[in-house]
């Protein structure tokens, strides 16, 4: 451990040295970090519970109160504090997005390695599955799946259904990326040597291939997170969230359905959208910069300096 | 690669996808709790035991699920029989067809605008690489990528109705229904502005990125240098050689994007209460109208699969490298 651990720390230090020069990467990291901190310290950031009903002097619920009248972001149609909903909503949005993203990362990496390493029939099978998933329109597929699973009354929480469905549909791009990288690593000398001295498949994958892939997997996961968070918000907006645990998407669903727009309650429908944009933009910036730094295929590019945004576009169009 | 092999491969994938979609839709319909007969005729319709039995036989529900019932169901679907909507008590296919044109109009307009604008802006961004225009265009596409579709729709809805007095929903104002075309069309156009704008803003960025990177690639080719050496102007080179070759990746992306286009239609039609398939899907979801939801999924998925095959076919005509045997 100690030798490997030191090597890891030295790599990390070197990585940080390059990374901190990259303004876009730092900006992305900042956006994501703030969102995570808000989610972790949610209770400390607000005096109200999201389910508290704010009342006026006559003990009537204070509905659609603008920020000048109550709190930081006013109240919603039922008199709940919007700021505390937003702060606690970050927990739901991030947890669902992160867990779905991790499932996608895990499935995509496992299938990508299997396809690239074993080749042949396994490879064709996995690649055909990704081809099929790529063509089917994703939102209608998810709506039908989530709605049907709910109707089956399986006693699974609605959020768990969302996590699993998003996670099991968004692994295809990861699988393709990891597969192509595995193909090149497989041909390297150290793998051939390990095989020559009789190492098993599992050993080679775990000890020789996975460590080489790890940086790429990390970068790709950050990108997948932005997709997962956007998709979660969309499904929640269409009414598939958990109304008892409102995420930012669920808040927008409430705002839209309960006439926040006709009441001019911008403090109800603007902040959740900005929060979603904040996190997904952060993940996109961070993920692209990490991929740029860690993906050997893109090693020729340099993100430093004024060309940062341009390099990101170049990564995007290759991805 | 020979054109025939290329197309056969693509057809194979399309068939595989089609089979997957059909099977999935069939299975989803079966796992719903309760009697499938109920699923077909509606939950609250009273029928006698004999009628129920004869319906079971008529629908083949006394036969094994695989392969008999599956094949029967496929036959029904092929004839356009997708069951009856629970909430509207009408055949699903009838409802779907009545909404199809509205959605095609919205998607068609949105796609046309975003492709044309995206191609032009991407071309300029690639040509003027690393200028403020280029960086601005890229920043725009990055932000458009990170913005939730429905939220942008909500913002445009508020802005458009407050500042420009544009209608907030529907397709034609109630007082204009049934009026002659010259009154209806301007009204329809006013209703289309905001949904189409949302569509265009969201998809513009991606087309711009693709166009930009493919024009950059084309401009580094030797034949561009030759064209310049012949004395053609920058503009001539760009339009004569650049644009033609750079359009190829666009065709692929347009086809690949069809699935996302459908997602966009669901969100945008919901926000603007636009009377199309997307809004229908959302209503079916809220009312738990499963026959309608699954019928809509079937129609959307099959349309996207067919459109993909058409795009591949078109591609073989456009790309001489595939056409040449």
């Amino acid at each position: 451990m100690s030798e490997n651990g030191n090597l890891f720390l030295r790599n990390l230090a070197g990585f940080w040295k390059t990374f901190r020069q990259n303004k876009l990467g730092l900006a992305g990291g900042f956006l994501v970090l703030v969102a995570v901190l808000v989610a972790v310290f949610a209770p400390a950031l607000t005096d109200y519970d999201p389910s508290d009903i704010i009342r006026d002097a006559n003990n009537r619920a204070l509905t659609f109160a603008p920020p000048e009248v109550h709190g930081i972001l006013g109240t919603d149609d039922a008199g709940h504090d919007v700021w505390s909903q937003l702060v606690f909503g970050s927990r739901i949005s991030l947890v669902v997005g992160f867990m779905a993203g991790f499932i996608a990362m895990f499935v995509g990496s496992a299938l990508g390695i299997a396809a690239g390493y074993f080749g042949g029939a396994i490879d064709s099978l996995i690649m055909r599955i990704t081809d099929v998933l790529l063509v089917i329109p994703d939102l209608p597929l998810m709506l039908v799946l989530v709605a049907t699973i709910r109707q089956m009354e399986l006693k699974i929480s609605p959020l768990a259904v969302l996590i699993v469905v998003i996670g099991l549909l968004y692994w295809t791009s990861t699988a393709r990326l990891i597969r192509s990288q595995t193909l090149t690593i497989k041909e390297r000398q150290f793998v051939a040597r390990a095989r020559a001295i009789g190492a098993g498949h599992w050993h080679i994958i775990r000890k020789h291939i996975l460590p080489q892939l790890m940086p790429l997997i990390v970068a790709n996961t950050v990108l997948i997170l932005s997709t997962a968070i956007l998709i979660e918000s969309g499904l929640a907006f269409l009414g598939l969230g958990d109304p008892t645990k409102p995420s930012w998407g669920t808040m927008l669903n409430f705002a839209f359905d309960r006439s926040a727009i006709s009441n001019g309650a911008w403090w109800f429908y603007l902040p959740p959208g900005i929060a979603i944009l904040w996190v997904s933009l952060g993940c996109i910036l961070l993920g692209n910069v990490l991929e740029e730094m860690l993906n050997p295929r893109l090693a020729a590019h340099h993100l430093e300096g004024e060309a940062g945004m341009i390099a990101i576009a170049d990564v995007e169009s290759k991805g | 690669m020979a054109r025939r092999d290329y197309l056969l491969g693509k057809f194979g994938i399309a068939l595989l996808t089609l089979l997957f979609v059909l099977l999935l839709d069939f299975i989803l319909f079966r796992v719903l709790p309760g009697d499938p007969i109920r699923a077909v005729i509606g939950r609250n319709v009273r029928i006698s035991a004999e009628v129920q039995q004869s319906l079971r036989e008529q629908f083949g529900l006394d036969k094994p699920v695989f392969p008999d019932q599956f094949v029967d169901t496929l036959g029904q679907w092929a004839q356009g029989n997708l069951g009856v909507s629970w909430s509207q008590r009408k055949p699903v296919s009838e409802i779907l067809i009545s909404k199809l044109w509205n959605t095609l109009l919205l998607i068609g307009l949105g796609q046309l605008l975003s492709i044309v604008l995206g191609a032009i802006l991407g071309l300029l961004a690639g040509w003027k690489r690393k200028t403020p225009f280029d960086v601005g265009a890229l920043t725009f596409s990055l932000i458009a990528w990170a913005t939730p579709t429905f939220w942008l729709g909500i913002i445009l809805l508020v802005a458009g109705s407050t500042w420009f007095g544009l209608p907030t929903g529907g397709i034609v104002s109630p007082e204009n229904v049934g009026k002659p075309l010259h009154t209806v069309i301007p009204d329809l156009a006013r209703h289309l502005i905001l949904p189409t704008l949302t569509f265009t803003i969201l998809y513009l960025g991606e087309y711009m990125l693709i166009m930009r990177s493919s024009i950059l690639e084309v401009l580094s080719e030797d034949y561009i240098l030759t064209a310049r050496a012949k004395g053609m102007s920058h503009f001539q080179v760009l339009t004569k050689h650049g644009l033609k070759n750079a359009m190829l990746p666009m065709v692929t992306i347009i086809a690949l994007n069809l699935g996302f286009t459908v997602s966009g239609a669901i969100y945008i039609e919901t926000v603007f209460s636009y009377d199309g398939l997307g809004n229908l899907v959302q209503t079916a979801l809220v009312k738990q109208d499963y026959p309608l939801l699954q019928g809509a999924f079937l129609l959307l998925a099959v349309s996207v699969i067919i459109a993909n095959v058409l795009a591949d076919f078109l591609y073989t005509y456009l790309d001489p490298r595939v056409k040449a045997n």
Side-chain angles (χ1 to χ4, degrees), chain A residues 138 144 151 234 269 280 310, chain B residues 28 130 146 151 212 263 267 290:
Chain A
D138 51 352
V144 170
Q151 184 71 4
Y269 63 77
S280 65
I310 287 153
Chain B
L28 286 178
K130 295 190 181 180
W151 186 64
R212 177 183 173 281
S263 315
Y267 292 130
Y290 295 96

Side-chain angles (χ1 to χ4, degrees), chain A residues 40-79:
Chain A
V40 171
F41 296 107
L45 294 171
T46 167
D47 299 332
Y48 305 92
D49 192 79
S51 55
D52 285 349
I53 290 177
I54 314 299
R55 295 176 188 280
D56 61 11
N58 302 323
N59 206 28
R60 277 181 314 190
L62 200 61
T63 58
F64 287 133
E68 304 89 73
V69 176
H70 167 80
I72 302 175
L73 287 173
T75 61
D76 69 3
D77 59 301

Side-chain angles (χ1 to χ4, degrees), chain B residues 88-303:
Chain B
Q88 301 192 30
R89 300 280 174 80
K90 277 196 280 184
V92 168
S93 47
E94 204 176 284
I95 302 174
L96 291 178
I97 287 178
S98 69
K99 313 283 179 188
L100 181 63
W101 297 109
N102 289 344
T103 296
L104 281 179
L105 179 65
L106 176 63
I107 289 183
L109 268 177
Q111 283 286 79
L112 188 72
L113 279 173
S114 54
I115 290 168
V116 170
L117 286 175
I120 294 172
L121 293 176
L123 197 69
L124 290 176
W127 190 23
K128 304 278 176 204
R129 189 165 185 250
K130 295 190 181 180
T131 59
F133 176 79
D134 186 27
V135 174
L138 292 174
T139 311
F140 167 81
S141 62
L142 208 62
I143 291 174
W145 181 16
T147 307
T149 313
F150 53 92
W151 186 64
L152 179 68
I154 290 177
I155 290 177
L156 290 178
L157 186 148
V158 173
S161 57
T162 328
W163 295 328
F164 301 99
L166 288 169
T168 55
I171 288 192
V172 178
S173 310
E175 69 269 19
N176 280 335
V177 174
K179 290 268 176 70
L181 273 182
H182 61 85
T183 358
V184 172
I185 287 179
D187 190 34
L188 176 70
R190 274 166 54 82
H191 280 84
L192 274 169
I193 291 177
L194 290 176
T196 312
L197 187 65
T198 315
F199 227 112
T200 310
I201 291 179
L202 282 169
Y203 291 91
L204 179 67
E206 192 177 356
Y207 291 129
M208 196 164 71
L209 276 189
I210 299 297
M211 193 60 187
R212 177 183 173 281
S213 71
S214 68
I215 198 76
L216 284 178
E217 204 158 300
V218 169
L219 288 181
S220 68
E221 299 274 357
D222 288 342
Y223 57 77
I224 298 291
L225 203 64
T226 316
R228 286 285 295 146
K230 280 195 306 194
M232 285 171 86
S233 74
H234 252 151
F235 184 75
Q236 278 176 316
V237 174
L238 211 57
T239 46
K240 276 219 155 162
H241 293 284
L243 192 60
K244 228 175 176 178
N245 288 292
M247 277 311 281
L248 272 179
M250 287 284 275
V251 175
T252 322
I253 289 299
I254 293 166
L256 271 177
N257 253 349
L258 284 169
F260 298 113
T261 316
V262 170
S263 315
I266 293 177
Y267 292 130
I268 293 170
E269 289 185 6
T270 300
V271 170
F272 293 99
S273 338
Y274 183 92
D275 192 24
L277 285 177
N279 201 4
L280 187 74
V281 166
Q282 201 266 340
T283 322
L285 197 66
V286 172
K287 293 189 172 162
Q288 307 200 325
D289 187 341
Y290 295 96
L292 191 55
L293 192 59
Q294 285 160 354
F297 168 64
L298 197 64
L299 175 69
L300 292 172
V302 171
S303 320

Side-chain angles (χ1 to χ4, degrees), chain B residues 29-30 32-43 47 52-53 55-56 61 86:
Chain B
F29 208 61
R30 293 289 137 160
L32 285 177
D35 191 344
I37 280 290
R38 287 281 161 208
V40 178
I41 59 167
R43 270 179 296 196
I47 44 168
Q52 213 167 45
Q53 185 52 37
L55 276 173
R56 294 192 77 81
L61 290 173
W86 289 352

Side-chain angles (χ1 to χ4, degrees), chain A residues 128-138 141-142 144-145 168-169 171, chain B residues 12-28 66 70 74 77 297-298 301-302 305:
Chain A
R128 287 306 80 75
I129 297 176
T130 65
D131 285 339
V132 166
L133 281 182
L134 214 61
V135 175
I136 300 177
D138 51 352
L141 177 62
M142 281 188 295
V144 170
L145 280 177
L168 291 184
L169 284 179
W171 52 267
Chain B
I13 298 294
L15 277 182
L16 210 64
T17 315
L18 187 65
L19 190 69
F20 176 79
V21 165
L22 293 173
L23 197 62
L24 184 76
D25 219 28
F26 176 73
I27 292 171
L28 286 178
F66 278 104
F70 181 52
L74 286 188
W77 286 346
F297 168 64
L298 197 64
V302 171
I305 294 170

